Amino acid sequence: MSDQSSSRPSGFDRRAFMAGAAGSALMPMTARAAAQDASAPAAQDPSLPVEVTLRVNGKDKRLRIDARTTVLDALRDHLKLTGSKKGCDHGQCGACTVLIDDRRVVSCLTLALAAEGQEITTIEGLATDDRLHPMQQAFVDNDAFQCGYCTPGQIMSAVACVKEGHAGNEADIREYMSGNICRCAAYPNIVAAVKQAAPEIMKG
Amino acid sequence: MTAAAPSPKANMGQPVPRYDAAAKVTGRATYASDMPLDNPAYAFLVTSAIAKGRIDRFDLDEAKGVRGVIEIVTHENAPKLKESKLFSNGGYAGTTIQPLKSADIAHDGEIIAVVVAESYEAAREAANRVKVSYTATAPSASFDSTGTTTAAAKGQNAQFKEDPAVGDFAKAFDAAEVKLTAAYDTPTQHHNPMELFSTSCAWMGDNLVIYEGSQFVYGLKHGVAEQLGIDADKVRVVNPYVGGGFGSRGSMTPRTAIIAGIAKRLGRPIKLVPTRDQGFTITTHRAETRQEIKLGANRDGKLLALRHEGAEVSSRADAYCVGGTKTTTRLYACPNVDSLVSIVRADRNTPGFMRSPPEVPYLFALESAMDELAVKLNMDPVELRRINDTNVEPIGGKPYTSRSLMACFDEAARAFGWAQRSPQPKSMSDGDWLIGYGCAATCYPTQMGPSAARVRVQRDGRTRVEIAGHEIGTGAYTVIAQTAAERLGVPLEKVAVFMGDSDLPPAPVAGGSNSTASTCSAVMMVCDQIRQRLFKAAMPAQSLTDRAKETVGLGQTPATQAAKGDRPLDIEKAFDALGVGVVEEYGEWKPEGAPLDSFRAMHNGQVRLVGGHAMKDQIAYAFGAEFVEVRVNRFTHEIRCPRLVGAFAAGRIMNPRTARSQLMGGLIWGMSSALLEGTEIDERNARYVNDNLADYLVPVNADVAGVEVILLSEQDDRINPVGVKGLGELANVGTNAAICNAIHHATGQRIRKLPVRLENIEV
Ligand code: FES
Ligand code: FES
C-alpha cells in the first residue's frame, strides 16, 4: 500500500512544455496586444478576459476571450465556425488545420492572441459564391473521406501543400500530407484528390 | 470516372458520390461538439491516477479559486444515477463500472471528478488544480500480473453460449501425419476515432437533448433515461454526423448520464470535450489476447484436427469477451474440432467491440497457423485453403448461404501477381530490401437487426426518408437515398435522408456490419408500401397484379401496361385520386429468424442481431482474400508494406464507391494492426502509456502506398431482401496474418506477436 497525493492532470506535462516552447514566439505578441489596448486588464490579472480582433475569412471579428484561448477554440466556441475540428488539441492530428497568412498551422497550438493582425482562412472561407474550391471538388470526386471529421483539416492542409510546391508527385503528396491523420484511412483517395486539384490551383 | 468510383459489375448499384459530400468538404457537417448551445458551461474531467484503491480525500480549495469555476462534482456530491446492465446482459452500458458512485477506484483513468466552469480554459485549469489523496493497492494489469483470475467464458458471459466442438479432436490430432502447435499474441488497441468523445447535454424543462457521436442513438437514449430514472420519451439523442466509430460508440459510457445529471442540477447546457488521453480510459478498447492453435493434417493438406484456445483480458466488473472461435472453428472443413475461450479479470476498464471484434485477433492466429502448416507441407498457402474449402460449416453441418472464398483468392492472386512468388523464404530481394509475399483469408458474419423507417413522397416526387440510422463514415446516407430512389423510381436528387436522431423511427446499432442490410431492407419495404398505395389509387384494380404494384418503380411502366402503350405511373394523378398532399408510410422490418420480442426490443434500444453462425439452418458470411507485399531492410530492419491487394465478395454492393472506400480503409486498418497499433501497458500501474496520437501509432499518408480493392460480383438471395452481406468490418480481418506470413517469406522469421516492429526482426 502506498499513499499518493497527486491529481492526474491530463496533459499537464505537455501543457507545461507547450507554454515553455511557445513562450518565446508568443509572449511578445501577447504583450503587444495588451499594450495596444490600455483598457485590456490582462496585465493586472491573467485570468480576466482580454480583447482581441481576429481577421477570419476576410472579416474582422472582435472577441473578449480568456488569454489562453487557442485559435481553434476561438473559432469553434466563440465565432461559431465549427468547420475546424479538434482531434487531439496537441498538434498531433491536423484536424484543426487552418491557414494563417497562407501558411498551414495547427490552430490548437496557436493562441488566438498570437494570430491578431494575421489573415486566418478556415474551411468555411474556401468556397466562393457557393462554388466549391477545386480542392473541395477534388475531395468529392475522389471520395477522399468517410466520416469527414478530418476532412476540413485535410483540405486546408492540401491547399497549402499544393501552394508550397509539395504536390509534384505522389510520394511528395504522401509525405507532405502526413501531418493530417485520417483514421478512416482515406489516404489513397486523398492523394488522388490533391493530384487532381493541384494543376488547377497552381493556375490560380 | 476516378479510381474511387469503380464501374458496377452485376448486382451492384451505381457509384454515385456521397449524399453528404458537400456538407463534409465545406465544414457544414455538424458533429456533436459543433452543435450550438445556448450559454453553455464547459466541463472538464479529472481522472484517476491509480488503477486500484480508494480516494481518501479531495482538496478542492485551489481549484475552486479559479475564476469562472461553477461547480466541482465528485463522488461526494455527484447526481445519483441508477445502474445500467451491460449490453450483453440486456442493458445498454459498455461497462458496469460506475464512476463517481463511491470512493473506490476500479481502473486507471476512471472519472473521479467533473469541473464545470464558464470557459473551457477555466475548467481545464481548475481540473489541473484538483488535488486527490488516494490509498492505492497494487493492481493487476494483464496476463502476467499476479492477482488476476481466469475462468471459461462460457457460464459468465451471457452471449458466449458454447465453445464450438465436433468429433474427437485429441484422437485425430494424435493420429495426424503433420502437426502444428503455435501460440499467438495480440495487443490492446484503442479505436481512436478522430472525433473526441464529446457530449453536450441541454435540458428544456423535463426534456433532455444529448449531442453525442453515437453508433446507437436508441440505445443511448434508453440507457441514459434508465440511469437518470426518467421516461425515455423525454430523452433525445442527436448526431447527424459521427466522426468515426469503429465500435467505440456502440454502447453507453458512464460520461453521458453524469453530464446530463450535472446539466440538470445547474439548469444550464453543458459541453464536455474530453481530451484524447482521457478517451483511452473513459470508453472501451480491444482487449489483448493470448491464443494457441493446434492443427493436424494429412500429407495432402486435408485438415483432420483443429483446436483453438483463446484468452482475453477483461475488467473485474464485467465478463466481456469476443470469442472469435465461433468463426475460426467454422471457416474450413475439418471433422475434429475443439475450442475454449477464457476470460482473465484484471484491474482494467471494461473492453468492448472494436472493428471486427472477434475476427481481427482470432483470424490472426488461424490464418498465421494455416500459413505455417502450408510451409510444413511444402504447399502453396492458397492451395491449402482450396483443399480445405467447404460449403458446409463443420460444427453444425449448416450450409453457407453463399461463399466465394476461393474466387476471391483467385482474383486477388491474379491481380497481385502471386504466380511470380518464389516459395522459398528469403529468396526474393531488391538491393537492401528482402521481399516477402503473403496472403490470408478474411471473413465476417452477415448480420441483420430489426429496423423501422418512415418514407414520405410529395406530388412532385420529392421524397423524405426518416430512420434513426447512423452516418459513421460508411456511406449510410448515400445507400439509403439510393435504395429509396431506386425502389420508388424517383430521381436521386429528390431524395432527402434524415438520420442520427432518436426521435426518428428506430434502426439497429451501427455495429456488426449490419446497417446497410437492415436499414435498406426496412426502407425498401416502406417504399413498397408507398408504391402499392399510389398504384392502387391510380390504376384500376384489375389492370395491375399485386406483384407488379410491389415491384415496379413509380417512374417505370409495368410490363403488362407497357404492352397497352401506357406511360409510367402518373404520380400527380395518383395523388389526386387519393386526395392527399403527401403519401407517407411507416413500417417495421425484421430479419428472418429474429426473436419474437424483436420489435419491442427495437423500440427500447436493445440489440437483436441475427445472422452469422447463429441462423437456424444456414450460416452467412462475407468472404475475401488479401495479398500483401512487405519489404524488410536487411540492415535497419525497417518494415514497409508497399502493396495491399484484397478481393471481396459480400452479396449486393449498394454503391461501389462507398464500398471500395470502406474496404480500402479496412485494408489499411489491417496493415496498422500488424505493424503499428498497440496500447502499451505499464505493468506496475495498470496504466496505458502511449495514450495520445503521437505515441499510439496509426497510419499516416506516408505509411500507405498501393492499395487495391477488387469487388467480386456475388448474389445471395437467402440472407435479406436487399441481398447485402455487409462489408465495413471485412477488410481489416486477416491482413495482420497476411503481413506476418509475408514477413516470414521475406526473412524466414515467424512472428506470432503483434504488432511487429523493426526491433522484432532478427535477419
Ligand atoms: S486538434 Fe490540432 S492537431 Fe489535433
Ligand atoms: S474521414 Fe474519418 S478520419 Fe478522415
Side-chain angles (χ1 to χ4, degrees):
Chain A
M1 291 234 182
S2 72
D3 203 358
Q4 298 180 11
S5 187
S6 70
S7 68
R8 192 189 186 202
S10 43
F12 186 77
D13 307 354
R14 288 185 212 103
R15 214 157 291 288
F17 162 78
M18 208 182 95
S24 56
L26 301 183
M27 282 337 229
M29 287 188 163
T30 314
R32 193 181 60 204
Q36 276 169 354
D37 185 351
S39 67
Q44 298 93 14
D45 182 346
S47 72
L48 281 174
V50 293
E51 303 229 335
V52 58
T53 302
L54 294 181
R55 193 164 173 77
V56 183
N57 300 329
K59 291 200 190 82
D60 282 335
K61 309 272 186 183
R62 199 155 178 77
L63 291 173
R64 262 178 87 76
I65 50 174
D66 188 296
R68 295 163 294 185
T69 308
T70 60
V71 168
L72 179 61
D73 289 334
L75 292 169
R76 293 180 51 77
D77 289 338
H78 300 275
L79 294 171
K80 309 293 171 227
L81 291 171
T82 53
S84 308
K85 300 294 185 238
K86 188 180 282 191
C88 69
D89 221 12
H90 286 14
Q92 297 173 338
C93 76
C96 64
T97 306
V98 300
L99 304 183
I100 298 188
D101 285 349
D102 282 335
R103 271 183 347 115
R104 46 176 161 170
V105 300
V106 279
S107 63
C108 70
L109 289 193
T110 310
L111 291 175
L113 287 175
E116 195 163 40
Q118 291 170 300
E119 185 73 49
I120 302 171
T121 310
T122 72
I123 189 74
E124 290 92 345
L126 218 50
T128 41
D129 312 325
D130 280 351
R131 241 187 74 105
L132 294 182
H133 182 279
M135 191 60 80
Q136 291 172 314
Q137 187 59 52
F139 267 61
V140 173
D141 295 343
N142 293 280
D143 206 43
F145 48 86
Q146 291 174 42
C147 79
Y149 197 82
C150 73
T151 312
Q154 299 279 0
I155 291 175
M156 299 314 287
S157 206
V159 169
C161 174
V162 171
K163 292 200 173 147
E164 290 159 12
H166 289 142
N169 57 58
E170 287 191 11
D172 267 7
I173 296 172
R174 282 200 287 269
E175 191 64 33
Y176 285 92
M177 286 300 292
S178 280
N180 292 78
I181 295 176
C182 176
R183 185 56 160 157
C184 299
Y187 296 124
N189 291 359
I190 292 171
V191 173
V194 177
K195 243 172 88 176
Q196 174 184 317
E200 213 175 319
I201 292 175
M202 286 317 253
K203 259 195 326 222
Chain B
M1 276 215 180
T2 61
S7 312
K9 298 176 187 161
N11 201 26
M12 294 188 191
Q14 289 301 315
V16 300
R18 279 171 204 262
Y19 176 87
D20 44 357
K24 282 180 173 171
V25 299
T26 52
R28 286 203 316 270
T30 43
Y31 302 79
S33 66
D34 302 341
M35 294 295 192
L37 297 169
D38 185 19
N39 187 30
Y42 294 82
F44 201 98
L45 303 177
V46 180
T47 56
S48 166
I50 64 166
K52 188 180 189 180
R54 49 181 292 117
I55 297 164
D56 294 330
R57 180 168 37 82
F58 281 102
D59 176 354
L60 303 177
D61 289 351
E62 245 189 69
K64 283 183 175 161
V66 172
R67 187 191 307 274
V69 169
I70 300 167
E71 166 105 297
I72 300 178
V73 177
T74 68
H75 67 274
E76 287 160 352
N77 62 347
K80 292 276 165 282
L81 298 173
K82 299 202 166 55
E83 283 171 25
S84 181
K85 283 185 287 191
L86 204 67
F87 66 91
S88 54
N89 290 331
Y92 304 100
T95 177
T96 61
I97 299 167
Q98 185 57 48
L100 303 185
K101 208 174 116 192
S102 74
D104 296 333
I105 302 289
H107 63 87
D108 179 72
E110 182 178 341
I111 298 171
I112 55 167
V114 182
V115 178
V116 184
E118 294 293 340
S119 72
Y120 176 73
E121 294 75 22
R124 182 181 59 198
E125 180 184 353
N128 285 338
R129 292 181 188 277
V130 168
K131 294 207 179 73
V132 194
S133 307
Y134 302 97
T135 298
T137 318
S140 313
S142 187
F143 288 116
D144 295 327
S145 311
T146 50
T148 57
T149 57
T150 304
K154 189 181 160 184
Q156 54 173 331
N157 179 311
Q159 284 182 342
F160 191 91
K161 298 204 173 73
E162 204 61 62
D163 285 301
V166 72
D168 186 340
F169 166 80
K171 206 166 133 209
F173 185 71
D174 240 24
E177 290 169 330
V178 183
K179 288 182 213 174
L180 172 83
T181 301
Y184 303 91
D185 291 6
T186 62
T188 311
Q189 293 180 333
H190 278 81
H191 318 77
N192 278 305
M194 290 314 296
E195 183 187 358
L196 293 165
F197 293 105
S198 303
T199 297
S200 293
C201 289
W203 291 83
M204 285 254 284
D206 287 341
N207 291 292
L208 168 67
V209 179
I210 300 167
Y211 299 114
E212 178 179 312
S214 166
Q215 293 173 248
F216 194 22
V217 289
Y218 265 72
L220 187 57
K221 162 194 162 120
H222 283 272
V224 171
E226 180 181 73
Q227 283 209 276
L228 295 173
I230 62 173
D231 186 350
D233 285 346
K234 301 210 175 302
V235 180
R236 180 179 177 194
V237 178
V238 178
N239 61 8
Y241 297 98
V242 181
F246 313 117
S248 64
R249 307 182 203 269
S251 48
M252 177 176 67
T253 72
R255 74 185 192 274
T256 317
I258 292 173
I259 295 299
I262 301 173
K264 176 86 178 167
R265 179 187 291 173
L266 297 183
R268 223 173 134 177
I270 294 189
K271 179 171 177 172
L272 167 72
V273 180
T275 61
R276 177 59 63 183
D277 56 305
Q278 288 169 348
F280 277 70
T281 59
I282 64 167
T283 65
T284 64
H285 55 274
R286 192 196 296 284
E288 62 270 39
T289 74
R290 285 192 177 169
Q291 304 172 57
E292 188 192 72
I293 295 233
K294 285 181 188 290
L295 296 178
N298 273 343
R299 281 253 162 261
D300 63 8
K302 265 233 134 323
L303 283 176
L304 300 171
L306 179 156
R307 184 170 199 282
H308 194 170
E309 186 172 340
E312 309 175 26
V313 172
S314 188
S315 64
R316 297 272 184 206
D318 299 310
Y320 181 86
C321 75
V322 296
T325 47
K326 56 181 167 257
T327 292
T328 54
T329 55
R330 293 178 167 94
L331 183 52
Y332 296 114
C334 182
N336 303 289
V337 178
D338 191 24
S339 67
L340 176 67
V341 172
S342 354
I343 301 176
V344 175
R345 305 288 194 99
D347 298 301
R348 297 269 299 282
N349 53 326
T350 304
F353 8 81
M354 179 164 159
R355 200 172 189 177
S356 340
E359 284 74 19
V360 164
Y362 282 77
L363 255 78
F364 168 62
L366 179 63
E367 287 301 288
S368 295
M370 286 297 278
D371 197 73
E372 296 200 45
L373 182 64
V375 171
K376 274 193 183 234
L377 291 163
N378 207 5
M379 182 180 277
D380 185 309
V382 177
E383 292 318 302
L384 180 62
R385 267 87 172 185
R386 198 182 313 278
I387 287 168
N388 292 291
D389 190 26
T390 178
N391 285 318
V392 177
E393 58 91 8
I395 305 295
K398 292 186 282 193
Y400 281 94
T401 58
S402 59
R403 174 166 161 133
S404 310
L405 177 64
M406 290 322 296
C408 289
F409 263 109
D410 292 338
E411 281 270 338
R414 220 181 351 262
F416 181 84
W418 183 251
Q420 272 90 65
R421 175 186 191 253
S422 90
Q424 274 314 305
K426 288 177 91 166
S427 63
M428 293 169 67
S429 63
D430 174 12
D432 292 345
W433 294 90
L434 301 172
I435 296 176
Y437 289 180
C439 66
T442 173
C443 66
Y444 194 79
T446 301
Q447 304 187 90
M448 297 137 290
S451 179
R454 189 183 296 119
V455 179
R456 170 195 292 185
V457 181
Q458 300 188 30
R459 267 178 85 95
D460 59 6
R462 269 187 297 156
T463 300
R464 178 186 169 100
V465 183
E466 297 181 348
I467 181 165
H470 312 82
E471 178 53 72
I472 54 175
T474 48
Y477 279 115
T478 315
V479 296
I480 287 173
Q482 283 179 282
T483 302
E486 241 167 67
R487 206 65 185 173
L488 291 171
V490 299
L492 188 58
E493 319 76 76
K494 290 205 171 182
V495 181
V497 182
F498 292 81
M499 293 198 312
D501 183 340
S502 66
D503 273 4
L504 302 174
V509 59
S513 295
N514 86 85
S515 279
T516 303
S518 312
T519 59
C520 291
S521 290
V523 169
M524 193 166 113
M525 187 193 86
V526 178
C527 288
D528 289 354
Q529 292 169 206
I530 295 217
R531 225 163 36 185
Q532 278 208 24
R533 265 179 76 184
L534 290 174
F535 273 113
K536 271 206 181 100
M539 303 206 168
Q542 67 280 20
S543 74
L544 200 54
T545 62
D546 283 344
R547 176 84 194 122
K549 285 173 195 159
E550 274 166 33
T551 51
V552 176
L554 300 181
Q556 290 165 262
T557 319
T560 49
Q561 299 297 112
K564 290 190 237 155
D566 272 8
R567 289 213 295 272
L569 176 88
D570 184 337
I571 299 190
E572 298 194 354
K573 204 174 109 194
F575 271 85
D576 290 342
L578 282 168
V580 295
V582 298
V583 172
E584 182 173 287
E585 286 285 334
Y586 167 88
E588 296 177 344
W589 175 84
K590 68 175 175 174
E592 226 183 280
L596 276 178
D597 73 342
S598 280
F599 287 137
R600 187 159 43 100
M602 168 180 85
H603 285 281
N604 289 336
Q606 282 160 334
V607 178
R608 293 287 184 276
L609 293 187
V610 299
H613 73 278
M615 299 166 91
K616 213 167 134 254
D617 6 74
Q618 50 186 15
I619 172 168
Y621 272 73
F623 291 93
E626 302 184 359
F627 288 72
V628 305
E629 175 184 333
V630 300
R631 294 180 160 233
V632 180
N633 190 288
R634 239 185 252 285
F635 302 108
T636 66
H637 297 180
E638 182 184 352
I639 310 163
R640 304 297 297 175
C641 183
R643 286 199 299 143
L644 294 161
V645 177
F648 307 95
R652 178 167 173 81
I653 303 297
M654 303 298 280
N655 180 330
R657 173 194 298 255
T658 54
R660 171 183 173 273
S661 279
Q662 261 197 295
L663 294 165
M664 183 181 77
L667 282 166
I668 298 168
W669 262 63
M671 179 275 283
S672 181
S673 150
L675 298 177
L676 301 173
E677 275 179 64
T679 309
E680 309 287 342
I681 300 166
D682 171 352
E683 281 286 329
R684 276 170 318 160
N685 298 307
R687 174 181 299 169
Y688 303 133
V689 179
N690 51 341
D691 55 357
N692 62 78
L693 288 176
D695 297 321
Y696 184 92
L697 302 183
V698 297
V700 297
N701 213 322
D703 292 316
V704 179
V707 185
E708 186 179 351
V709 171
I710 301 161
L711 296 165
L712 259 68
S713 182
E714 183 183 68
Q715 180 144 358
D716 189 329
D717 299 325
R718 297 162 69 187
I719 35 177
N720 51 57
V722 277
V724 162
K725 282 185 171 177
L727 47 72
E729 293 168 272
L730 181 58
N732 61 317
V733 174
T735 331
N736 42 17
I739 286 179
C740 286
N741 299 342
I743 289 174
H744 176 263
H745 181 231
T747 65
Q749 188 188 345
R750 180 63 66 176
I751 300 183
R752 302 184 183 89
K753 186 174 184 325
L754 297 180
V756 186
R757 303 259 172 76
L758 55 80
E759 62 267 29
N760 307 121
I761 303 278
E762 308 150 359
V763 188

